[in-house]
Structure formats: C-alpha cells, structure tokens
Amino acid sequence: MTHRRHRLTIAQALLLGAVAAIVVAMPAGAASNAGAGQSHAARGLDVFPTELALPDGFLPEGIAVGAQPYAYFGSRADGDIYRVSLVTGEGSTFSEGPGTPSLGMKVDPRGRLFVAGGSGGNARVIDASTGEQLGSYAFGNTPTFVNDVVVTRDAAWFTDSQQAFLYKVPLGLAGRLPGPTGFVEVPLGGDYDHVTGATNANGIAQTPDERALLIIQSATGLLFRVDPATGDATEVDLGGAALPNGDGLLVSGRTLLVVQNRLNQVAVVHLNREGTAGEVVETLTDPRFDVPTTVAAFGNRLYLPNARFTTPPTPTTSYNAVSIPKP
C-alpha cells in the first residue's frame, strides 16, 4: 500500500483557510443533517478536484464527510482510514486499521467518526481530528457483516447484512458513548424478510422527519421504514419501483439518494416527510463510476468511492473516488 503525505502551496493554504473560516462562522446545529452543514462552506467552490486518488490496493467501500472539507475512506482490506482534503485532493493514512474491514462510516456533529466493521462483526468510534479510537463494540453474531451506520440524536445504528438485527449504540448526555457492552440488538420484523446467505440490510439513513430509520435490502431492492423503538419494518411505497443492488443511502431534506453499486448509478427518490412513500424521480450516472458503493455530500457536490468489485484486487490495483454535482 502506498501512502501519500502532502505539503500545501500558499494558494491552497489560503483557500483551505477561507473554507475553514466559513465553516466556523456557520450557525450552531448547521451540520446536524447529512450534507446540510457543508452547503454554506463549499457552494460554488468548483475549484475542488472532482477525482480523489486513493492508495493502490486500498479496496475502498465507505466514505464520510463532516463539517470540515475532508473525506474519510475505509479499507475493506485491513480497516485503515484514509483522509483526503477536498480542497487539494491530497491525503494520508489517518487511522491504522485493526486488520478487519472498515465499511460504512458517518461523522457526527461532535467530530466523531463511526465505522462499521464488516466481517469483523464490530464497530469503532474514532476522533475525526486526531485519529484516536474512542470506543469499540463487538456485536458477536456469526455469520456477520456489519455494513453501514447512521448517527441520530440519541444513538448510532448499524446494519448487519447477514443478521436480521439492527445494532443500537445509545448516546448519553452530551453524546456520551457507552461502554463496550452497552449496545442493544433490535430484531427486524414486520415486512422485512431476511434472505439467508444474501446481502440483506445494507445502507441506513433517517426519514426526513427524523422519527424513523430507512434501510435498503440489497438482495431484494426493497426499501424499508423501520420503527427504532420496535424494529418493525414497513416497505416504503415506491409505486412499484425497486432499487436492485442498493447500497449506501443519503437523505437531504426530502431527497433520498440510493447508490446502486453494480448498476453504476444513483437513484434519486422524493420522499414524504414520514418516509412511508416516495417516487424515483431521476437516476444519476457518470462514465467514471466503477461500482460506487456509498455517497457523501459537501456543499453542492456528491462524493462516491469506486469499490471496483468487478476488478480482481491486487496490491497495485488503483482506486479513487469521484465527485458529481448534487441534484
């Protein structure tokens, strides 16, 4: 694996400082919704690079972007976290992995990076400024594939593509993390039908009204609204449409983005506030897509890592992420 460290030019440093100043000036709570906190900082800054190089052999899958202009990428190979400046496109290894995957990730408003651990069956919480590990949780089920995460006001929620559970990591006063065993298994029920041996619950997000959760089941292409209190899942009425190969989810306002990895496209769904019904209104694609898996937003841009699932991985296989306009 190659790691690249960078030295900012004077012009790049000035631009990064300007972006940081805008971010600092944003009103409190502006970063509470996915993508919303960044829009004031980066809108119109189309000088940002539209392709981000990742280390050879990295095997990216997850991406997270917080209030600052940095993207975090997780490796399926060894769990390393690679941080890239959205201003310069340069990056370096930010946090050494545990030897098991780092998949779906989210940065919360407190500057903590929550990481789903894939076949490791676990989750980690990392300080997004220093790379220090703040907490870890071993969920303990087998078979397991802890795939993605969303952070709400009172909990971090993880999907498991091999188990009919959501894992809830409750957040205490001022977002305090629980101890290593302080998580809860929430069984998925209702309309949700677990398909043994397939990739089931994958991407996860909140409904527009923030009262429930949304999950995409990759094996069936069905979208579900989940009651976080009970785990009861209700299929979202998409007017008969399905979302095959659904992977990462992102909600901004009443717009849901669903990355359809092997189809090399992103479905744009207009939801009602409750997340009980929606309509696929557009499909985004780009010739640079090479099996994108997840999506994050900064300002008026979307960023997607190319997992390249159809390319045999080698230590010298190249990987990147691409940026497209936000719909």
Side-chain angles (χ1 to χ4, degrees), residues 31-257:
S32 60
N33 295 318
Q38 304 94 328
S39 60
H40 301 294
R43 188 166 303 281
L45 293 182
D46 292 329
V47 295
F48 283 17
T50 59
E51 295 189 20
L52 304 174
L54 300 174
D56 291 349
F58 187 72
L59 277 69
E61 205 276 357
I63 181 174
V65 176
Q68 302 293 329
Y70 293 98
Y72 301 84
F73 297 91
S75 170
R76 306 191 311 274
D78 57 12
D80 279 0
I81 306 294
Y82 194 75
R83 184 172 70 175
V84 179
S85 166
L86 299 181
V87 179
T88 67
E90 300 294 332
S92 61
T93 299
F94 173 71
S95 176
E96 297 288 340
T100 53
S102 291
L103 301 184
M105 301 186 294
K106 292 293 185 301
V107 178
D108 77 350
R110 293 180 172 85
R112 300 177 298 189
L113 182 67
F114 290 75
V115 184
S119 56
N122 60 359
R124 311 192 319 275
V125 185
I126 297 168
D127 187 309
S129 296
T130 67
E132 176 190 0
Q133 182 167 298
L134 304 175
S136 64
Y137 304 92
F139 300 127
N141 288 307
T142 54
T144 185
F145 200 77
V146 182
N147 208 331
D148 207 354
V149 57
V150 67
V151 184
T152 68
R153 285 179 295 180
D154 61 0
W157 294 86
F158 294 84
T159 58
D160 190 330
S161 296
Q162 296 297 312
Q163 295 286 335
F165 293 109
L166 296 179
Y167 304 115
K168 176 183 179 181
V169 177
L171 302 177
L173 186 65
R176 181 178 178 182
L177 295 170
T181 61
F183 60 86
V184 180
E185 290 184 352
V186 180
L188 288 168
D191 294 341
Y192 181 83
D193 185 13
H194 191 78
V195 182
T196 302
T199 301
N200 289 277
N202 193 335
I204 185 169
Q206 281 188 286
T207 54
D209 65 5
E210 299 185 352
R211 295 187 177 184
L213 303 170
L214 296 167
I215 61 170
I216 185 72
Q217 186 178 24
S218 297
T220 62
L222 298 179
L223 182 68
F224 295 94
R225 180 187 188 273
V226 180
D227 183 338
T230 65
D232 187 59
T234 304
E235 183 181 342
V236 177
D237 181 3
L238 298 179
L243 300 166
N245 299 110
D247 201 328
L249 303 183
L250 179 67
V251 169
S252 179
R254 287 172 58 179
T255 298
L256 167 68
L257 302 178

Side-chain angles (χ1 to χ4, degrees), residues 239-279:
L243 300 166
N245 299 110
D247 201 328
L249 303 183
L250 179 67
V251 169
S252 179
R254 287 172 58 179
T255 298
L256 167 68
L257 302 178
V258 183
V259 182
Q260 296 177 272
N261 51 37
R262 292 177 185 266
L263 300 183
N264 286 313
Q265 66 186 33
V266 181
V268 182
V269 182
H270 187 255
L271 294 169
N272 62 12
R273 283 185 52 79
E274 297 79 16
T276 58
E279 178 186 5

